[in-house]
Amino acid sequence: MASSIAAPPSRLRQGAGSRGAWARGAWSDVTVLGVLRGVATVMLAAFIFFACFAFSDTSPYDLVAIPTILLWLCLGIRIKRGILPMVVLLLLYVGAIVVGLMPYLDEALPVAWTIQLAYLAVTGAFFAMVFSDETTSRVELALKAYTASCLFSAVLGILGYFGVIGREGLFMVYGRAAGTFKDPNVFGSFLTLAALYLMHGLFAGTSRRPVLSLAGLVVLMAAIFLSFSRGSWGGSLVAIAVMVVAIYRTSPSGALRRRIVVLTAMALCTGVLAIGALFLVGDTAETFAKRAAVTQDYDEGETGRFGNQLRGLNMLVEAPLGLGPLRWRNTFALEPHNSYLGSFANGGWLGGAVFIGLVLATGFVGFRLMSRASPYRRHAQIVWPALLMFFVQAVQIDIEKWRHVYMMLGMVWALEAARLTWLAGGGDDHAATADRPR
């Protein structure tokens, strides 16, 4: 009986060998997958860091984009229910632009512009897909990479402004700090998200290296000021105010609220003193006086920015399909400098309505994320105010081709998708379980 139950030693050895071979194969598969995930993570961080290189329409950001997106797709990222509204709205928006492009397919510039817009929409969907899994760790990585990118550009902008390195057109444009951007307005606004990230850590007391965070924040705020961008100044103040109010309202203790009030007062005083010190350097005070005016020469008059916008409204009412991509400039010799108006001009009534719908839907999601308890509220209080700033700025500048806006857009919707998964009892983040509604 025993001999009929026991397996022959040779078979046992054979079975053990088979199990060993399977284990080695499985371990090899796990190792390869781990390496690929590591490479993908590094490429994602590089992708985000390279966003600061904006000297031209193409940059290292775009060179890294395609392999990064393809690698992550191979690793199995997917479209979750929470990001579907954003994806659908982006598809409709690009589709409306393509329809407006149809009569002008023989013109290279509108075709190239539309292709670039479609590519940026793809990156927005990609970011939403990536950040909707392992959300806390991936968003934190992205914000660190973005902050490093901003500090790199800010330092170059400050040094360029004071003439330490570079020349006019390189790190400084029109006597204003521009860093690694060709437009000081884009440069100043680009830095705001990183400033909010460092500031949130200081206000909430979660920064591991507060001295370094404070030093980095000073550099970023100085660079924003030296960009002499009215939109960046005003937008940054709005974003900071929204974030501080959100932190204050959701703070669990009176001590933390008092800390926020004290730090806000100290920051205001320090900012005033720092600006006063900068006024003593070179022609900073003169440049500030010129740029601080509510309007500039190119804004005023019938053929100025605002006059063109008023005249263009009458044209758009009679053009359901719009004027076509980049056709506004053919009539007014300038861009609309208003993304809401530009969306109607480029994509007709559908394009304009979808763009406004995307802004409103993202606003609803963003404010809800900031106010409701979840593991994702902290990051929402950083990212959404920064994106809100761009939506506000869109009234006076064209933001639809700014790469980092699509990253923030995808990030906000990814936080919402992760929150919905968390509410349903799933997800990868298990922090703040006590905050789950009961």
Side-chain angles (χ1 to χ4, degrees), residues 396-412:
Q396 53 92 38
I397 199 167
D398 307 296
I399 67 165
E400 59 267 28
K401 297 297 289 296
W402 293 7
R403 300 177 179 98
H404 46 285
V405 170
Y406 291 86
M407 183 200 74
M408 297 179 205
L409 181 67
M411 201 175 283
V412 168

Side-chain angles (χ1 to χ4, degrees), residues 266-396:
M266 291 175 61
L268 289 173
C269 293
T270 304
V272 170
L273 292 174
I275 291 173
L278 288 172
F279 280 168
L280 301 176
V281 181
D283 57 356
T284 302
E286 181 182 350
T287 306
F288 175 81
K290 292 179 180 178
R291 295 297 304 170
V294 176
T295 60
Q296 300 293 315
D297 293 340
Y298 51 79
D299 293 324
E300 301 167 349
E302 185 179 353
T303 58
R305 179 189 347 200
F306 302 135
N308 287 342
Q309 291 173 358
L310 289 174
R311 289 187 295 143
L313 281 173
N314 295 326
M315 296 174 56
L316 295 178
V317 169
E318 300 173 358
L321 297 180
L323 307 178
L326 293 189
R327 304 295 297 179
W328 179 279
R329 63 171 66 178
N330 292 346
T331 302
F332 301 106
L334 290 171
E335 298 298 342
H337 290 299
N338 181 315
S339 288
Y340 299 96
L341 192 60
S343 61
F344 281 96
N346 295 325
W349 295 356
L350 176 61
V354 170
F355 185 81
I356 293 173
L358 179 63
V359 170
L360 293 177
T362 307
F364 174 79
V365 166
F367 281 114
R368 183 170 63 183
L369 280 165
M370 282 205 313
S371 59
R372 295 191 179 179
S374 79
Y376 315 102
R377 183 164 63 186
R378 181 176 75 88
H379 284 139
Q381 290 175 348
I382 298 168
V383 179
W384 166 238
L387 182 58
L388 174 63
M389 177 197 75
F390 288 107
F391 287 160
V392 172
Q393 276 191 287
V395 175
Q396 53 92 38

Side-chain angles (χ1 to χ4, degrees), residues 45-401:
F47 185 19
I48 293 169
F49 177 85
F50 287 144
C52 72
F53 290 93
F55 285 117
S56 62
D57 290 336
T58 57
S59 78
Y61 180 91
D62 304 304
L63 297 177
V64 174
I66 294 177
T68 302
I69 292 172
L70 291 176
L71 179 55
W72 277 97
L73 287 173
C74 292
L75 289 173
I77 58 173
R78 62 196 186 280
I79 297 178
K80 289 192 173 181
R81 176 171 59 93
I83 68 174
L84 267 178
M86 183 206 76
V87 173
V88 171
L89 288 169
L90 284 177
L91 284 173
L92 287 174
Y93 179 61
V94 174
I97 302 293
V98 170
V99 171
L101 174 69
M102 287 297 120
Y104 312 105
L105 288 174
D106 58 336
E107 298 182 19
L109 198 57
V111 171
W113 187 91
T114 304
I115 292 172
Q116 289 172 351
L117 182 69
Y119 150 70
L120 290 173
V122 169
T123 65
F126 164 72
F127 284 124
M129 294 165 67
V130 166
F131 294 133
S132 59
D133 282 317
E134 300 180 28
T135 303
T136 299
S137 59
R138 289 180 184 176
V139 170
E140 186 67 20
L141 171 69
L143 290 176
K144 289 183 185 301
Y146 190 90
T147 300
S149 177
C150 288
L151 287 170
F152 173 76
S153 187
V155 169
L156 292 178
I158 294 171
L159 294 178
Y161 175 81
F162 290 114
V164 178
I165 60 174
R167 60 184 187 278
E168 176 64 32
L170 180 64
F171 309 139
M172 180 181 69
V173 179
Y174 310 126
R176 300 157 57 189
T180 50
F181 291 78
K182 59 182 178 180
D183 186 345
N185 299 306
V186 185
F187 167 68
S189 298
F190 176 78
L191 305 178
T192 301
L193 175 60
L196 294 181
Y197 176 64
L198 296 178
M199 193 176 295
H200 191 286
L202 292 171
F203 278 16
T206 58
S207 178
R208 294 182 178 180
R209 299 176 179 85
V211 175
L212 288 178
S213 294
L214 180 60
L217 181 60
V218 169
V219 170
L220 293 172
M221 297 307 293
I224 291 172
F225 175 76
L226 293 176
S227 72
F228 295 104
S229 167
R230 295 168 298 164
S232 299
W233 291 346
S236 295
L237 290 175
V238 169
I240 290 170
V242 170
M243 184 188 73
V244 170
V245 169
I247 300 172
Y248 183 87
R249 291 189 60 185
T250 57
S251 296
S253 68
L256 186 54
R257 291 188 174 189
R258 287 190 295 272
R259 172 192 175 94
I260 293 169
V261 172
V262 171
L263 288 178
T264 301
M266 291 175 61
L268 289 173
C269 293
T270 304
V272 170
L273 292 174
I275 291 173
L278 288 172
F279 280 168
L280 301 176
V281 181
D283 57 356
T284 302
E286 181 182 350
T287 306
F288 175 81
K290 292 179 180 178
R291 295 297 304 170
V294 176
T295 60
Q296 300 293 315
D297 293 340
Y298 51 79
D299 293 324
E300 301 167 349
E302 185 179 353
T303 58
R305 179 189 347 200
F306 302 135
N308 287 342
Q309 291 173 358
L310 289 174
R311 289 187 295 143
L313 281 173
N314 295 326
M315 296 174 56
L316 295 178
V317 169
E318 300 173 358
L321 297 180
L323 307 178
L326 293 189
R327 304 295 297 179
W328 179 279
R329 63 171 66 178
N330 292 346
T331 302
F332 301 106
L334 290 171
E335 298 298 342
H337 290 299
N338 181 315
S339 288
Y340 299 96
L341 192 60
S343 61
F344 281 96
N346 295 325
W349 295 356
L350 176 61
V354 170
F355 185 81
I356 293 173
L358 179 63
V359 170
L360 293 177
T362 307
F364 174 79
V365 166
F367 281 114
R368 183 170 63 183
L369 280 165
M370 282 205 313
S371 59
R372 295 191 179 179
S374 79
Y376 315 102
R377 183 164 63 186
R378 181 176 75 88
H379 284 139
Q381 290 175 348
I382 298 168
V383 179
W384 166 238
L387 182 58
L388 174 63
M389 177 197 75
F390 288 107
F391 287 160
V392 172
Q393 276 191 287
V395 175
Q396 53 92 38
I397 199 167
D398 307 296
I399 67 165
E400 59 267 28
K401 297 297 289 296

